[in-house]
Coordinates of all heavy atoms in Angstrom, one line a residue:
P1 N 49.5 -2.0 42.8 CA 50.3 -2.9 43.6 C 51.0 -2.1 44.8 O 51.1 -0.9 44.8 CB 51.4 -3.3 42.6 CG 50.7 -3.3 41.3 CD 49.9 -2.1 41.3
L2 N 51.3 -2.8 45.9 CA 51.8 -2.3 47.1 C 53.0 -1.4 47.0 O 53.2 -0.5 47.7 CB 52.1 -3.4 48.1 CG 52.5 -3.0 49.5 CD1 51.5 -2.2 50.2 CD2 52.9 -4.3 50.4
S3 N 53.8 -1.6 45.9 CA 55.0 -0.9 45.7 C 54.7 0.6 45.5 O 55.4 1.5 45.7 CB 55.7 -1.3 44.5 OG 55.0 -1.3 43.3
E4 N 53.4 0.9 45.2 CA 52.9 2.2 45.0 C 52.6 2.9 46.3 O 52.4 4.1 46.4 CB 51.7 2.2 44.1 CG 51.8 1.7 42.7 CD 52.4 2.7 41.8 OE1 52.2 3.9 42.1 OE2 53.0 2.3 40.8
F5 N 52.6 2.1 47.4 CA 52.2 2.6 48.7 C 53.3 2.2 49.8 O 52.9 1.6 50.7 CB 50.8 1.9 49.1 CG 49.7 2.3 48.3 CD1 49.5 1.8 47.1 CD2 48.7 3.3 48.8 CE1 48.4 2.1 46.2 CE2 47.7 3.6 48.0 CZ 47.5 3.1 46.7
E6 N 54.5 2.7 49.5 CA 55.6 2.2 50.4 C 55.4 2.6 51.9 O 55.8 1.7 52.7 CB 56.9 3.0 49.9 CG 57.3 2.5 48.5 CD 58.4 3.3 48.0 OE1 58.9 4.2 48.7 OE2 59.0 2.9 46.9
T7 N 54.8 3.7 52.2 CA 54.6 4.1 53.6 C 53.2 4.0 54.0 O 52.7 4.5 55.0 CB 55.2 5.5 53.9 OG1 54.5 6.4 53.2 CG2 56.7 5.5 53.5
C8 N 52.4 3.3 53.2 CA 50.9 3.3 53.4 C 50.4 1.9 53.6 O 49.4 1.6 53.0 CB 50.2 4.0 52.2 SG 51.0 5.6 51.8
A9 N 51.2 1.0 54.2 CA 50.8 -0.4 54.3 C 49.4 -0.7 54.8 O 48.6 -1.5 54.3 CB 51.9 -1.2 55.0
L10 N 49.1 0.0 55.9 CA 47.7 -0.2 56.5 C 46.6 0.3 55.6 O 45.6 -0.4 55.4 CB 47.7 0.6 57.8 CG 46.3 0.5 58.5 CD1 46.0 -0.9 58.9 CD2 46.3 1.4 59.8
R11 N 46.8 1.4 55.0 CA 45.7 1.9 54.1 C 45.5 1.0 52.9 O 44.4 0.7 52.5 CB 46.1 3.4 53.6 CG 45.0 4.0 52.7 CD 43.8 4.4 53.6 NE 42.7 4.8 52.9 CZ 41.7 4.0 52.5 NH1 41.8 2.8 52.7 NH2 40.6 4.6 52.0
Y12 N 46.6 0.5 52.3 CA 46.5 -0.3 51.2 C 46.0 -1.7 51.6 O 45.1 -2.2 51.0 CB 48.0 -0.6 50.6 CG 48.0 -1.6 49.5 CD1 47.8 -1.3 48.2 CD2 48.5 -2.9 49.9 CE1 47.8 -2.2 47.2 CE2 48.5 -3.8 48.8 CZ 48.1 -3.5 47.5 OH 48.2 -4.5 46.5
K13 N 46.5 -2.3 52.6 CA 46.0 -3.7 53.1 C 44.6 -3.6 53.4 O 43.8 -4.6 52.9 CB 46.9 -4.2 54.2 CG 46.6 -5.6 54.5 CD 47.6 -6.1 55.6 CE 47.6 -7.6 55.8 NZ 48.6 -8.1 56.7
Y14 N 44.1 -2.7 54.1 CA 42.7 -2.5 54.5 C 41.8 -2.3 53.3 O 40.7 -2.9 53.1 CB 42.5 -1.5 55.5 CG 41.0 -1.3 56.0 CD1 40.4 -2.3 56.8 CD2 40.3 -0.2 55.6 CE1 39.1 -2.2 57.1 CE2 38.9 -0.1 55.9 CZ 38.4 -1.1 56.7 OH 37.1 -0.9 57.1
G15 N 42.3 -1.4 52.4 CA 41.5 -1.1 51.2 C 41.3 -2.3 50.3 O 40.2 -2.5 49.8
V16 N 42.3 -3.0 50.1 CA 42.3 -4.2 49.1 C 41.4 -5.2 49.8 O 40.5 -5.8 49.1 CB 43.7 -4.7 48.9 CG1 43.6 -6.1 48.2 CG2 44.5 -3.8 48.0
A17 N 41.5 -5.5 51.1 CA 40.8 -6.6 51.7 C 39.3 -6.3 52.0 O 38.4 -7.1 52.0 CB 41.5 -6.9 53.0
T18 N 39.0 -5.0 52.3 CA 37.7 -4.6 52.7 C 36.9 -3.7 51.8 O 35.7 -3.8 51.6 CB 37.8 -4.0 54.2 OG1 38.5 -4.9 55.0 CG2 36.4 -3.7 54.7
E19 N 37.6 -2.6 51.4 CA 36.9 -1.5 50.7 C 36.7 -1.8 49.2 O 35.7 -1.5 48.6 CB 37.6 -0.3 50.8 CG 37.6 0.3 52.3 CD 38.3 1.6 52.5 OE1 39.2 1.8 51.7 OE2 37.8 2.3 53.3
S20 N 37.7 -2.4 48.6 CA 37.6 -2.5 47.1 C 36.9 -3.8 46.8 O 37.5 -4.9 46.6 CB 39.1 -2.6 46.6 OG 39.1 -2.8 45.2
E21 N 35.7 -3.8 46.6 CA 34.7 -4.9 46.5 C 34.6 -5.2 45.0 O 34.4 -4.3 44.1 CB 33.4 -4.7 47.1 CG 33.5 -4.5 48.6 CD 32.1 -4.2 49.2 OE1 31.4 -3.6 48.5 OE2 31.9 -4.6 50.4
P22 N 34.5 -6.5 44.6 CA 34.3 -6.9 43.2 C 32.8 -6.5 42.9 O 31.9 -6.4 43.7 CB 34.5 -8.4 43.1 CG 34.3 -8.8 44.5 CD 34.8 -7.7 45.4
L23 N 32.5 -6.4 41.6 CA 31.2 -6.0 41.1 C 30.1 -7.0 41.6 O 29.1 -6.5 42.1 CB 31.2 -6.0 39.6 CG 29.8 -5.7 38.8 CD1 29.3 -4.3 39.4 CD2 30.0 -5.7 37.5
A24 N 30.3 -8.3 41.6 CA 29.3 -9.2 42.0 C 28.9 -8.9 43.5 O 27.6 -8.9 43.8 CB 29.8 -10.6 41.9
K25 N 29.9 -8.7 44.3 CA 29.5 -8.4 45.8 C 28.8 -7.1 45.9 O 27.8 -7.0 46.6 CB 30.8 -8.4 46.6 CG 30.6 -8.2 48.1 CD 31.8 -8.4 48.9 CE 31.6 -8.2 50.4 NZ 32.8 -8.2 51.2
R26 N 29.3 -6.0 45.2 CA 28.7 -4.7 45.3 C 27.2 -4.8 44.8 O 26.3 -4.2 45.4 CB 29.4 -3.7 44.5 CG 30.7 -3.3 45.0 CD 31.3 -2.1 44.4 NE 31.9 -2.5 43.0 CZ 31.6 -1.9 41.9 NH1 30.6 -1.0 41.8 NH2 32.3 -2.2 40.8
A27 N 27.0 -5.6 43.8 CA 25.6 -5.7 43.2 C 24.7 -6.4 44.2 O 23.5 -6.1 44.1 CB 25.6 -6.4 41.9
R28 N 25.2 -7.4 45.0 CA 24.3 -8.1 45.9 C 23.9 -7.1 47.0 O 22.8 -7.3 47.6 CB 25.1 -9.2 46.5 CG 25.2 -10.4 45.6 CD 25.6 -11.8 46.3 NE 26.8 -11.5 47.0 CZ 28.1 -11.9 46.5 NH1 28.1 -12.3 45.2 NH2 29.1 -11.8 47.3
H29 N 24.7 -6.2 47.4 CA 24.4 -5.3 48.5 C 24.6 -3.8 48.0 O 25.5 -3.2 48.4 CB 25.2 -5.5 49.7 CG 25.3 -7.0 50.1 ND1 24.3 -7.6 50.8 CD2 26.2 -8.0 49.9 CE1 24.5 -8.8 51.1 NE2 25.7 -9.1 50.6
P30 N 23.7 -3.3 47.1 CA 23.9 -2.1 46.4 C 24.0 -0.8 47.3 O 24.8 0.0 47.1 CB 22.8 -2.0 45.5 CG 21.7 -2.9 46.0 CD 22.5 -3.9 46.7
Y31 N 23.2 -0.8 48.4 CA 23.3 0.4 49.3 C 24.4 0.3 50.3 O 25.1 1.3 50.5 CB 21.9 0.5 50.0 CG 20.8 0.7 49.0 CD1 19.9 -0.4 48.7 CD2 20.5 1.9 48.4 CE1 18.9 -0.3 47.8 CE2 19.4 2.0 47.5 CZ 18.7 0.9 47.2 OH 17.6 1.1 46.2
A32 N 24.6 -0.9 50.9 CA 25.7 -0.9 51.8 C 27.1 -0.8 51.1 O 28.0 -0.4 51.8 CB 25.6 -2.3 52.5
S33 N 27.2 -1.0 49.8 CA 28.4 -0.9 49.1 C 28.6 0.4 48.5 O 29.6 0.6 47.8 CB 28.5 -2.1 48.0 OG 28.4 -3.4 48.5
F34 N 27.7 1.3 48.8 CA 27.9 2.6 48.2 C 29.1 3.3 48.7 O 29.4 3.3 50.0 CB 26.6 3.6 48.4 CG 26.8 4.9 48.1 CD1 26.6 5.3 46.7 CD2 27.3 5.9 48.9 CE1 26.9 6.7 46.3 CE2 27.6 7.3 48.6 CZ 27.3 7.6 47.2
K35 N 29.9 3.9 47.9 CA 31.1 4.6 48.3 C 31.2 5.9 47.5 O 30.9 6.0 46.3 CB 32.4 3.9 48.0 CG 32.6 2.5 48.8 CD 32.8 2.8 50.3 CE 33.2 1.5 51.0 NZ 32.2 0.5 50.9
G36 N 31.5 7.0 48.2 CA 31.4 8.3 47.6 C 32.6 8.6 46.6 O 32.6 9.7 46.0
V37 N 33.6 7.7 46.5 CA 34.7 8.0 45.7 C 34.5 8.0 44.2 O 35.3 8.7 43.5 CB 35.9 6.9 46.1 CG1 35.4 5.6 45.6 CG2 37.2 7.3 45.4
N38 N 33.4 7.4 43.7 CA 33.3 7.2 42.3 C 31.8 6.8 42.1 O 31.5 5.6 42.1 CB 34.2 6.1 41.8 CG 34.0 5.8 40.3 OD1 33.5 6.7 39.5 ND2 34.4 4.7 39.9
F39 N 30.9 7.8 41.9 CA 29.5 7.5 41.6 C 28.9 8.6 40.8 O 29.4 9.8 40.8 CB 28.7 7.3 42.9 CG 28.4 8.6 43.6 CD1 27.2 9.2 43.4 CD2 29.3 9.2 44.5 CE1 26.8 10.4 44.2 CE2 29.0 10.3 45.2 CZ 27.7 10.9 45.0
C40 N 27.8 8.3 40.1 CA 27.1 9.3 39.3 C 25.7 9.3 39.7 O 25.0 8.2 39.7 CB 27.2 8.9 37.8 SG 26.5 10.2 36.7
A41 N 25.1 10.4 40.0 CA 23.7 10.6 40.4 C 22.9 11.6 39.5 O 23.5 12.5 39.1 CB 23.6 11.0 42.0
H42 N 21.7 11.2 39.3 CA 20.9 12.2 38.6 C 20.4 13.3 39.5 O 20.5 13.2 40.7 CB 19.5 11.4 38.2 CG 18.7 12.2 37.3 ND1 17.5 12.8 37.6 CD2 18.9 12.7 36.0 CE1 17.0 13.4 36.7 NE2 17.8 13.3 35.6
R43 N 20.2 14.5 38.9 CA 20.0 15.7 39.7 C 18.8 15.5 40.6 O 18.9 16.0 41.8 CB 19.6 16.8 38.8 CG 19.2 18.2 39.4 CD 19.1 19.4 38.5 NE 20.4 19.7 37.9 CZ 21.3 20.4 38.6 NH1 21.0 20.9 39.9 NH2 22.5 20.7 38.1
T44 N 17.8 14.8 40.3 CA 16.7 14.6 41.2 C 17.0 13.9 42.4 O 16.4 14.0 43.5 CB 15.5 13.9 40.5 OG1 16.0 12.6 40.0 CG2 14.9 14.7 39.3

């Protein structure tokens, strides 16, 4: 919740509206929805 981001209103608002995508949307566009914050890749 926003209370955790008292001086970070822009980062929070943009993140919630644009970056934090639900699973269904990410699955429809798997490559465009790739984010480096949390992913697991095989060594190859």
Side-chain angles (χ1 to χ4, degrees):
L2 183 58
S3 59
E4 300 278 338
F5 293 79
E6 295 176 356
T7 61
C8 315
L10 178 61
R11 186 72 189 90
Y12 173 83
K13 191 171 184 178
Y14 179 74
V16 170
T18 304
E19 295 181 325
S20 182
E21 299 175 327
L23 175 59
K25 183 177 180 181
R26 289 190 282 123
R28 285 197 301 270
H29 307 284
Y31 299 103
S33 296
F34 174 84
K35 297 290 190 301
V37 63
N38 172 26
F39 76 98
C40 184
H42 189 252
R43 175 171 294 279
T44 57

